[in-house]
C-alpha cells in the first residue's frame, strides 16, 4: 500500500483541520452565547491550522506559531473554540517528534507564556491548561511505548541474526571440520606407510580426494544457501545429510585407519528429516573429536530406538576426558542440536575407558 509523503500527509491534515476549525468556530461561539471572532480571529485560526503542515518536519517552530496564534486569538476576546483542538494537536506532535528534552521544553514554554500573559478566559482559569497537558501526557506515553516496542524489535532482529550466524558457523564447522580431520588422518597414514607400503599411499590419497570433494560440496551448499536470494538459480545443493549417510560417514573414517563399528536398528532409518540431520551431525562431530583428540584405536556408533526416542551413542577406547579438548563449537553444537528437538545429550569419560557421547532425541508418534 502506497503511503503519502510527510509533507503531503501533514499538509492534508492542516487543510482538513483548518476547514473544520473555521466551520466550527461560529457554532462554538453561539453555544457560549458569544459573537464570532471576526475576520482577524478567523485568520488566526487559519494560521494555527496552517502551522500543522510543519508538525513533523519542524515541530518546535510549528508549536510556537500555533501557540502564538492561539494566544492572539484569545487576547482579541474571541471565545473558546476549535482553535484549542489545533493547539492540542500541535502539542501532541511536538511531544512525539521532538528530541526528549525539547519535547518537554517547547510545550512548557508555550504553557508558561500563556499563563504569564493575562488572556481573556485564561487568566485565573486553570482548566484551559488541560488542552495542552493532556495531549502532551498522552503523546509522551505513546512515544515511550513506541520506543520500547522498537527496542524490543531491534533486539529480536539482533538475536535472530546472531542465531543465524551461529547456525551457519555450526554447519561449516561440522562439515568442513570433519573433512579436515579425516584428511589430516589420511595424510598421516600416507606418510607413515610411504616407504614401507607405497601401494597403500594411493588408497589414502583417494580418500583425501573424496573427503575434500565432499567437504567442498557441503561448504558450497552452505554458502550458496547464505548468499543466493530466494528463487535464484544456481548449481544444485548437496542433499541434506541424514541417517542414510551415516554409513558413508563411518566408511570415510575407517578409510583413515580408525576401526569403527556401526550398529543401526532397521526402524531408525525411517525418521523425520530434522531428526535424521541431527543424528548425522552428532555422529559426525563425535567421530571428528575421536580422530582429533582421542588417540583411539577403535570407535563404536550405535543408533537405536527406546520408548519413542532415538538413541545415538558414539564411544571410543581413547584417552577419555582428553577427547573433549575441542571446546569450540563442537560439544556445544551437539548439545544445541539435541535441545532444539526437545532431546538431551551427555558427553564424558566412559566407565569402561575412553569417551562416550550419548543423545536421546524424541520422535513424533506414528499413526498406525
Amino acid at each position: 500500500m502506497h503511503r503519502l509523503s510527510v509533507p503531503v500527509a501533514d499538509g492534508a491534515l492542516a487543510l482538513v483541520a483548518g476547514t473544520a476549525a473555521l466551520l466550527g468556530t461560529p457554532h462554538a461561539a453561539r453555544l457560549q452565547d458569544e459573537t464570532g471572532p471576526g475576520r482577524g480571529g478567523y485568520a488566526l485560526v487559519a494560521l494555527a491550522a496552517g502551522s500543522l503542515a510543519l508538525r513533523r518536519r519542524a515541530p518546535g517552530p510549528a508549536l510556537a506559531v500555533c501557540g502564538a496564534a492561539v494566544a492572539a486569538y484569545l487576547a482579541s476576546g474571541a471565545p473558546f473554540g476549535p482553535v484549542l483542538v489545533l493547539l492540542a494537536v500541535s502539542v501532541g506532535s511536538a511531544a512525539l517528534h521532538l528530541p526528549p528534552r525539547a519535547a518537554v521544553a517547547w510545550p512548557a514554554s508555550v504553557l508558561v507564556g500563556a499563563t504569564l500573559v493575562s488572556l481573556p478566559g485564561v487568566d485565573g482559569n486553570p482548566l484551559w491548561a488541560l488542552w495542552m497537558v493532556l495531549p502532551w501526557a498522552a503523546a509522551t506515553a505513546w512515544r515511550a511505548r513506541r520506543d520500547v516496542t522498537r527496542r524490543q524489535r531491534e533486539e529480536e532482529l539482533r538475536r535472530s541474526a546472531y542465531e543465524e550466524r551461529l547456525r551457519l558457523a555450526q554447519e561449516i564447522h561440522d562439515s568442513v571440520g570433519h573433512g579436515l580431520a579425516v584428511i589430516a588422518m589420511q595424510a598421516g597414514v600416507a606418510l607413515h606407510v610411504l616407504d614401507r607400503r607405497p601401494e597403500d599411499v594411493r588408497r589414502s590419497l583417494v580418500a583425501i580426494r573424496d573427503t575434500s570433494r565432499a567437504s567442498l560440496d557441503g561448504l558450497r551448499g552452505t554458502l550458496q544457501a547464505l548468499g543466493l536470494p530466494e528463487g535464484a538459480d544456481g548449481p544444485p545443493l548437496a542433499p541434506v545429510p541424514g541417517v542414510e549417510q551415516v554409513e558413508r560417514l563411518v566408511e570415510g573414517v575407517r578409510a583413515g585407519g580408525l576401526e569403527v563399528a556401526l550398529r543401526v536398528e532397521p526402524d531408525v532409518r525411517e525418521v523425520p528429516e530434522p531428526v535424521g540431520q541431527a543424528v548425522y551431525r552428532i555422529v559426525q562431530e563425535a567421530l571428528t573429536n575421536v580422530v582429533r583428540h582421542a588417540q583411539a584405536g577403535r570407535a563404536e556408533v550405535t543408533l537405536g530406538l527406546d520408548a519413542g526416542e532415538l538413541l545415538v551413542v558414539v564411544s571410543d577406547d581413547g584417552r577419555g576426558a582428553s577427547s573433549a579438548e575441542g571446546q569450540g563449537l563442537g560439544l556445544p553444537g551437539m548439545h544445541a542440536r539435541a535441545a532444539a528437538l526437545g532431546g538431551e545429550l551427555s558427553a564424558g569419560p566412559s566407565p569402561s575407558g575412553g569417551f562416550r557421547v550419548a543423545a536421546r532425541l524424541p520422535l513424533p508418534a506414528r499413526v498406525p
Side-chain angles (χ1 to χ4, degrees):
M1 181 177 179
H2 180 68
R3 297 182 61 182
L4 295 176
S5 65
V6 169
V8 173
D10 288 349
L13 173 65
L15 179 61
V16 172
T19 301
L22 291 172
L23 294 177
T25 294
H27 295 286
R30 285 195 295 270
L31 290 175
Q32 301 172 65
D33 295 327
E34 299 277 353
T35 58
R39 292 183 179 180
Y42 284 115
L44 292 172
V45 172
L47 177 61
S51 69
L52 297 182
L54 299 175
R55 70 185 190 92
R56 282 186 283 184
R57 288 176 292 166
L63 176 58
V65 171
C66 185
V70 172
Y73 174 88
L74 296 175
S76 68
F80 285 173
V83 70
L84 294 177
V85 177
L86 301 177
L87 178 61
V89 173
S90 186
V91 169
S93 299
L96 281 176
H97 302 295
L98 283 172
R101 291 185 178 179
V104 176
W106 278 92
S109 299
V110 174
L111 178 61
V112 171
T115 303
L116 294 177
V117 177
S118 296
L119 299 177
V122 172
D123 189 25
N125 183 5
L127 293 180
W128 79 272
L130 295 178
W131 287 97
M132 295 185 64
V133 175
L134 290 181
W136 178 86
T140 300
W142 189 90
R143 175 177 182 165
R145 182 177 179 180
R146 179 193 63 186
D147 291 345
V148 170
T149 302
R150 186 187 69 250
R151 286 194 294 268
Q152 290 176 342
R153 184 166 58 249
E154 292 173 350
E155 179 61 27
E156 291 175 358
L157 291 174
R158 283 194 294 268
R159 183 168 57 252
S160 297
Y162 170 77
E163 291 174 352
E164 180 64 12
R165 289 195 299 269
L166 185 61
R167 185 189 68 81
L168 291 170
Q170 185 66 57
E171 289 293 329
I172 295 173
H173 171 274
D174 288 350
S175 59
V176 178
H178 174 80
L180 292 176
V182 173
I183 289 172
M185 182 175 62
Q186 292 284 2
V189 171
L191 290 174
H192 183 69
V193 301
L194 179 60
D195 296 328
R196 293 178 297 168
R197 297 194 304 274
E199 66 278 3
D200 291 342
V201 175
R202 177 179 179 81
R203 184 164 54 249
S204 294
L205 291 177
V206 170
I208 290 174
R209 180 199 62 190
D210 295 342
T211 303
S212 300
R213 287 178 176 175
S215 297
L216 289 173
D217 287 343
L219 178 61
R220 178 177 59 83
T222 301
L223 295 179
Q224 185 179 10
L226 172 64
L228 282 181
E230 184 177 356
D233 295 330
L237 298 176
V240 177
V243 175
E244 295 79 6
Q245 284 76 40
V246 170
E247 184 174 356
R248 181 179 177 183
L249 174 68
V250 169
E251 290 175 352
V253 177
R254 285 172 180 162
L258 178 66
E259 181 183 350
V260 183
L262 174 63
R263 294 191 300 169
V264 182
E265 293 184 8
D267 290 344
V268 171
R269 301 183 184 277
E270 301 176 4
V271 298
E273 184 177 285
V275 177
Q277 185 177 11
V279 169
Y280 181 90
R281 292 305 191 193
I282 289 172
V283 172
Q284 183 184 54
E285 179 58 29
L287 289 177
T288 300
N289 285 342
V290 173
V291 172
R292 294 179 59 191
H293 306 299
Q295 296 182 3
R298 186 178 187 278
E300 183 174 334
V301 178
T302 302
L303 307 181
L305 299 176
D306 179 34
E309 293 183 319
L310 193 153
L311 304 182
V312 183
V313 179
V314 181
S315 58
D316 63 69
D317 61 357
R319 297 188 297 167
S322 60
S323 297
E325 288 173 359
Q327 291 293 334
L329 294 174
L331 289 179
M334 289 192 287
H335 282 285
R337 291 186 186 278
L341 298 174
E344 57 184 18
L345 182 140
S346 61
S350 174
S352 58
F355 199 78
R356 184 176 185 269
V357 174
R360 301 180 70 92
L361 307 178
L363 296 173
R366 297 185 179 182
V367 179

